Amino acid sequence: MTKYKGLAFINTIGCQMNVYDSEKLAGILNSYGFEKTQDMDEADIVVCNTCSIRHKAEEKAFSFLGRFAREKTRRPHLITVMAGCVAQQEGKKAFDRLPHLNLVLGTQAFSRFGAHIDALKSGTQRIVDIEESDMIFEALPDETCFEENKVSRFVTIMQGCDNFCTYCVVPYVRGRERSRAPEAILEEIRILARNGIKEVTLLGQNVNSYGIREQGLSFPGLLEKVSRIEGIKRIRFATSHPKDLSEELIHAVRDIDKVCRHVHLPVQSGSDKILKKMNRGYTRETYLSRIRALREACPDIGLSTDIIVGFPFETKEDFHLTLDLIQEARFDSIFAFAYSDRSSAPAAKFSSQVEETEKKDRLNQLLELQETLTEKKNRAEIGQTLGVLVEGFSAKERDGFVKPSAKTRQMTGRTESNKIVHFASDGIKIGDLVDIKIEKTYPHSLWGTSAADQCWERKIK
Ligand code: 5AD
Ligand code: SF4
């Protein structure tokens, strides 16, 4: 009798691309006879899909996998896998800290994952596969493991990055930029639509340069083709690099009905001196001019950004330029990070590093200011009627604070500009696009009521 129950647990750390990659890993495991479980104690295979963008994420991966050292003595056949960016970066060094680890699976080794699992099941103790490759691993979504009531999915359209921002590990752990073939992307989205998915988010480190080198189709061209897929109601994308945000893309956001009016445009800093040291390829003024162009084309567009504080050489004056920029740009939301030194990225060698306490202090100042700006922006939505894609029932309802018998149910969804909206509704289904009148705001969400308890199809016939 086999000692394996056929169960695998996957822990995903990091970005949306890792969420997508974990779905692929789950699909491979499924085809090798291992179903996904939510209970790591009963799993035969434990995978940690890792992120190395900041020190904290990397530590999280080591600490999660470290927990299984003792479990392995109790269950020697347990297979432990480190996948993704930390695996690519560490290679066999990962065994120094995790001697019980079985497989180190780099970012470009997914096509061999199944074969490695077979070898480990047959008694091999340690495998390291961090071979680099220009190929993109292609596998269509596994239609047998679609989650019920899931509305939105990520679709990676390109991998790697050629931008070499001086703080960033991505070009080193994910390799050179390469785009997937349009037909593979479209086929994947058709399968998602067939299985009830209503919204796709197209992912790449710099979607603006999709296809330029090898596919003969630009990113706006791809958006147009995706928008023709029946069943898909909304299309989002991330991330756009400010230096490559073209007029053509701005027009696509304005003109293609299904493309959400929301752009995530990481600025990183408001100081030209710091932007130059980061190798970002734009100035504060060119960034702000892109924001103006987006707002001119779509006045109601939602904008979000990423910011790093405490980058080497950042003085208080530079930091104040960042504070000043967020006031001028009026973002709906920001993702802010204290600079984390990564030994494989060039900035690790920069002198003039900023003290950790100073970084934390700047981060708090930035977040505090953005909170007031977000609140102001959210308040401006009161009285507006916004289109919301319904994603599910609100946490309150899920946690049992609302009687299931109540006629009015509490649901949650997102606006085009990516704001979370809670609303009371009768007769609305998950996956509907509904019209919600905003009545109240909370720090991180809006509250409203359904304008009419019927399917809302403002732009989509
Ligand atoms: N330290 C802090 N933040 C970083 N990011 C990337 N590298 C680092 C680093 N070394 C941030 C950037 C990027 C986001 C995904 O993570 O803001 O846009
Ligand atoms: Fe990293 Fe810069 Fe590439 Fe973004 S554009 S992944 S920050 S190197």
Side-chain angles (χ1 to χ4, degrees):
M1 214 179 70
T2 171
K3 48 193 181 237
Y4 292 103
K5 285 182 277 185
L7 294 170
F9 180 86
I10 303 181
N11 176 18
T12 306
I13 299 172
C15 65
Q16 300 168 331
M17 225 170 242
N18 271 12
V19 173
Y20 174 84
D21 285 349
S22 287
E23 268 154 17
K24 295 276 169 213
L25 293 175
I28 299 169
L29 286 170
N30 204 38
S31 66
Y32 278 76
F34 291 90
E35 252 180 62
K36 231 162 102 171
T37 170
Q38 302 301 327
D39 180 0
M40 62 178 118
D41 295 330
E42 63 167 4
D44 312 297
I45 301 180
V46 173
V47 181
C48 184
N49 194 9
T50 62
C51 168
S52 61
I53 205 136
R54 282 171 289 275
H55 178 69
K56 215 166 157 187
E58 194 176 304
E59 280 310 302
K60 223 162 132 182
F62 277 104
S63 119
F64 173 78
L65 285 165
R67 286 196 234 164
F68 294 92
R70 193 151 358 115
E71 186 65 9
K72 283 276 286 193
T73 54
R74 206 169 61 81
R75 290 194 291 145
H77 67 278
L78 174 70
I79 295 173
T80 53
V81 181
M82 176 190 266
C85 295
V86 180
Q88 187 70 36
Q89 181 184 281
E90 298 295 302
K92 65 175 168 28
K93 281 197 297 221
F95 295 127
D96 297 344
R97 284 180 69 184
L98 301 169
H100 60 284
L101 192 64
N102 299 110
L103 172 60
V104 178
L105 187 76
T107 52
Q108 293 139 73
F110 282 22
S111 60
R112 295 176 293 276
F113 182 42
H116 294 328
I117 290 296
D118 268 350
L120 294 166
K121 271 172 66 186
S122 315
T124 305
Q125 284 304 309
R126 280 180 173 183
I127 300 173
V128 179
D129 187 349
I130 54 167
E131 204 177 298
E132 291 177 18
S133 157
D134 284 342
M135 301 282 290
I136 296 187
F137 171 65
E138 288 290 353
L140 291 173
D142 187 333
E143 293 193 69
T144 62
C145 40
F146 268 82
E147 276 171 55
E148 218 185 312
N149 281 336
K150 199 154 167 90
V151 169
S152 186
R153 283 270 286 243
F154 300 121
V155 176
T156 291
I157 60 165
M158 56 206 297
Q159 285 187 353
C161 185
D162 285 349
N163 286 313
F164 293 95
C165 301
T166 54
Y167 50 81
C168 187
V169 292
V170 169
Y172 310 98
V173 293
R174 292 241 174 208
R176 294 292 69 71
E177 181 182 291
R178 49 230 189 269
S179 298
R180 287 179 69 194
E183 209 25 68
I185 298 168
L186 295 170
E187 183 53 18
E188 178 161 339
I189 299 175
R190 279 186 216 111
I191 293 174
L192 298 181
R194 212 160 57 219
N195 286 276
I197 297 297
K198 309 288 182 217
E199 176 185 84
V200 285
T201 304
L202 308 182
L203 300 176
Q205 305 299 345
N206 181 12
V207 291
N208 305 283
S209 55
Y210 170 81
I212 286 174
R213 265 206 311 258
E214 65 275 60
Q215 301 300 351
L217 179 72
S218 67
F219 182 59
L222 179 70
L223 284 173
E224 177 63 42
K225 283 185 190 288
V226 175
S227 76
R228 284 193 229 125
I229 296 178
E230 212 180 306
I232 295 298
K233 295 182 179 180
R234 278 184 169 178
I235 305 163
R236 298 186 183 277
F237 58 87
T239 295
S240 297
H241 195 302
K243 75 175 166 54
D244 299 318
L245 180 74
S246 65
E247 283 302 308
E248 200 193 351
L249 181 57
I250 295 177
H251 293 160
V253 175
R254 182 191 63 193
D255 300 335
I256 304 175
D257 287 346
K258 291 182 183 178
V259 175
C260 286
R261 290 180 173 180
H262 173 244
V263 175
H264 182 66
L265 201 63
V267 63
Q268 312 298 1
S269 169
S271 153
D272 282 343
K273 179 190 96 189
I274 297 298
L275 287 173
K276 196 150 188 233
K277 291 200 184 294
M278 287 176 163
N279 190 31
R280 290 291 290 173
Y282 54 85
T283 62
R284 171 196 178 93
E285 187 40 42
T286 48
Y287 181 87
L288 287 169
S289 75
R290 295 288 75 199
I291 295 269
R292 284 194 292 273
L294 281 162
R295 287 213 168 100
E296 235 161 71
C298 318
D300 57 348
I301 197 158
L303 294 170
S304 55
T305 199
D306 290 345
I307 292 173
I308 297 177
V309 298
F311 188 72
F313 300 103
E314 187 189 73
T315 60
K316 284 197 170 30
E317 288 70 39
D318 294 313
F319 173 62
H320 278 99
L321 285 167
T322 301
L323 293 180
D324 187 66
L325 182 134
I326 68 161
Q327 279 175 295
E328 195 167 339
R330 290 177 289 116
F331 296 111
D332 295 81
S333 59
I334 67 168
F335 297 87
F337 312 98
Y339 168 69
S340 170
D341 217 21
R342 310 282 55 217
S343 58
S344 50
K349 295 191 185 67
F350 290 2
S351 55
S352 248
Q353 300 273 338
V354 177
E355 287 284 326
E356 285 306 317
T357 50
E358 181 63 24
K359 285 185 206 169
K360 278 209 183 94
D361 187 48
R362 291 182 194 177
L363 186 61
N364 289 337
Q365 282 187 55
L366 178 66
L367 292 172
E368 250 170 55
L369 174 61
Q370 183 58 38
E371 212 167 287
T372 61
L373 297 171
T374 300
E375 204 187 317
K376 208 160 146 192
K377 281 221 110 181
N378 284 354
R379 257 190 279 124
E381 306 279 22
I382 294 178
Q384 306 271 355
T385 297
L386 305 175
V388 170
L389 180 64
V390 184
E391 288 177 3
F393 293 100
S394 71
K396 245 185 179 174
E397 171 129 1
R398 279 199 312 268
D399 298 342
F401 293 115
V402 179
K403 278 194 201 133
S405 57
K407 189 160 182 290
T408 305
R409 310 209 61 185
Q410 295 195 21
M411 302 192 89
T412 176
R414 271 167 209 270
T415 64
E416 254 188 78
S417 62
N418 212 22
K419 292 193 166 98
I420 296 170
V421 182
H422 302 290
F423 56 95
S425 142
D426 191 10
I428 287 177
K429 294 191 301 302
I430 292 173
D432 282 352
L433 205 46
V434 293
D435 225 357
I436 300 291
K437 187 156 184 228
I438 305 303
E439 291 172 355
K440 268 195 288 190
T441 64
Y442 297 108
H444 302 289
S445 61
L446 309 173
W447 168 266
T449 47
S450 125
D453 269 354
Q454 61 192 27
C455 193
W456 180 89
E457 308 263 326
R458 177 166 66 92
K459 295 196 287 183
I460 300 140
K461 312 268 154 1

